[in-house]
Amino acid sequence: GENVEQHPSTLSVQEGDNSIINCAYSNSASDYFIWYKQESGKGPQFIIDIRSNVGEKKDQRIAVTLNKTAKHFSLHITETQPEDSAVYFCAASRYNQGGKLIFGQGTELSVKP
Amino acid sequence: DADVTQTPRNRITKTGKRIMLECSQTKGHDRMYWYRQDPGLGLRLIYYSFDVKDINKGEISDGYSVSRQAQAKFSLSLESAIPNQTALYFCATSDPASGRRNTGELFFGEGSRLTVL
């Protein structure tokens, strides 16, 4: 079946460093890729998305890159801050299927002051 | 107040008991979802509903049922709970029909932690 592999499972960085989280998807028909942030005790919250006709998208310190050939997409956080500490999930979908998402396993990001 | 409210937030029950998790939303969204979160597995879709008369199975629907009582309410039932249904359950909504750019944007509740002994 469809799956999304996410790495690393844990990531520890110093404040101010850049962070990268990677996801590989199996379904070639997937054309829409999303990242969520989950803080302790809360539900996941949407942070950024990208469609397959675009290679990169940025929103302030957050960026997502997509390599369709390799079936791989990544989340980039520049100048990581303590408030970025959370669990991050990637997800893949087909754009016309809305919220039917296949999630990765999650990455716990810890930022040391 | 939360836009997507789940009750109960925590529940401990015994094997074989019937359990209902409830979800209500004030966002006015047509689409509602139930996801299950397990450590190391991410979130997996159990059931989803695109409107009041529409119910669809997700990846892992066995052992679960749902009811869409109204646009704002979507309940998940475990008819006979078993220990491997111990997990964190999330209700979510979305509304791509509104013309939102982010059609994959789900709005999650705060979760219902279920423990089956």
Side-chain angles (χ1 to χ4, degrees), chain B residues 1-21:
Chain B
D1 288 342
D3 293 324
V4 182
T5 302
Q6 294 184 231
T7 56
R9 294 293 311 280
N10 287 283
R11 180 74 183 268
I12 300 173
T13 190
K14 294 182 179 180
T15 298
K17 294 291 188 181
R18 184 178 188 274
I19 295 297
M20 179 180 286
L21 306 180

Side-chain angles (χ1 to χ4, degrees), chain B residues 7-79:
Chain B
T7 56
R9 294 293 311 280
N10 287 283
R11 180 74 183 268
I12 300 173
T13 190
K14 294 182 179 180
T15 298
K17 294 291 188 181
R18 184 178 188 274
I19 295 297
M20 179 180 286
L21 306 180
E22 299 186 340
C23 178
S24 63
Q25 52 114 346
T26 58
K27 300 190 74 68
H29 290 172
D30 287 327
R31 298 186 175 190
M32 298 188 73
Y33 310 80
W34 276 103
Y35 278 88
R36 166 179 172 162
Q37 183 177 4
D38 296 278
L41 294 178
L43 291 91
R44 292 177 291 166
L45 182 62
I46 306 173
Y47 270 95
Y48 62 100
S49 169
F50 283 178
D51 65 42
V52 175
K53 297 180 181 180
D54 176 72
I55 299 288
N56 303 281
K57 293 182 178 181
E59 284 179 80
I60 54 163
S61 58
D62 287 350
Y64 301 96
S65 62
V66 291
S67 173
R68 184 80 184 266
Q69 300 96 323
Q71 187 208 34
K73 295 184 181 297
F74 192 36
S75 300
L76 176 71
S77 293
L78 289 67
E79 296 300 325

Side-chain angles (χ1 to χ4, degrees), chain A residues 38, chain B residues 35-38 86-90 110-114:
Chain A
Q38 185 179 26
Chain B
Y35 278 88
R36 166 179 172 162
Q37 183 177 4
D38 296 278
T86 293
L88 183 56
Y89 290 85
F90 285 102
E110 296 200 324
S112 295
R113 185 169 296 281
L114 176 65

